[in-house]
Amino acid sequence: MVRAVFPGSFDPPTFGHLNIIERAHPLFKKLLVVVAENRDKNYLFSVEERLAFMKELVAPWPNVEVYSCDKLVVDFARQHDCKVLLRGVRSVQDFSYEFELSILNKGVGPEIETFFLPTDQRYFVLRSSAIKELASFGGDVSAMVPQIVADAMVRFRR
Ligand code: ADP
């Protein structure tokens, strides 16, 4: 049993992300969910908010831990003794992006393997960017994100 990292922006966390965590965590000794903090990205929620959401949402699973990271995810994985980078894929478009990313990551961390987990069919249209837009127009996102996230999104309504 190895330790794995599941990195992402999680801005905000969706049922798609949680489904990946729910299905993957029994396969690993520990699953470290890593909330990315990239200075070049404009996030809707601060890293502290995204961390707090994730910590609350993964609380039922004892082998899942949540961290934030502002460096290369491969370096994070190495420092935390993780041999697997887990990524979810929704579509062929996702796959082509994720495939290139996995090659880049393999270049900087040859000892770390990327594992892809296909989305559950219920969640293949869930995309944080679209959910943010929908919520900003007052659309109902409660079937897409957990209630704590849906409640927090109300403040971004136009
Ligand atoms: P990033 O900015 O790193 O792409 P995201 O928060 O958008 O971060 O996604 C983190 C990971 O979760 C990625 O591997 C992404 O493909 C996956 N993911 C996002 N939404 C879904 C979904 N609905 N079903 C399965 N995987 C998903």
Side-chain angles (χ1 to χ4, degrees), residues 1-6 17-33 57-65 86 117:
M1 289 277 272
V2 295
R3 293 158 60 87
V5 166
F6 180 43
H17 296 129
L18 289 180
N19 175 258
I20 295 288
I21 299 169
E22 184 174 23
R23 287 158 58 209
H25 81 90
L27 308 176
F28 298 104
K29 193 157 121 194
K30 271 224 176 345
L31 181 61
L32 279 59
V33 175
L57 296 168
V58 306
W61 303 309
N63 72 329
V64 182
E65 293 173 0
L86 175 69
L117 196 57

Side-chain angles (χ1 to χ4, degrees), residues 6-20 23 36 41 43 86-90 94 97-98 101 116-120 122-129:
F6 180 43
S9 303
F10 307 116
D11 185 38
T14 70
F15 286 132
H17 296 129
L18 289 180
N19 175 258
I20 295 288
R23 287 158 58 209
K41 275 199 187 179
Y43 298 110
L86 175 69
R87 297 287 286 178
V89 276
R90 283 162 293 205
D94 259 9
Y97 168 75
E98 294 290 343
L101 194 61
F116 297 124
L117 196 57
T119 189
D120 184 285
R122 286 171 293 170
Y123 304 122
F124 83 102
V125 292
L126 292 195
R127 216 165 268 286
S128 297
S129 52

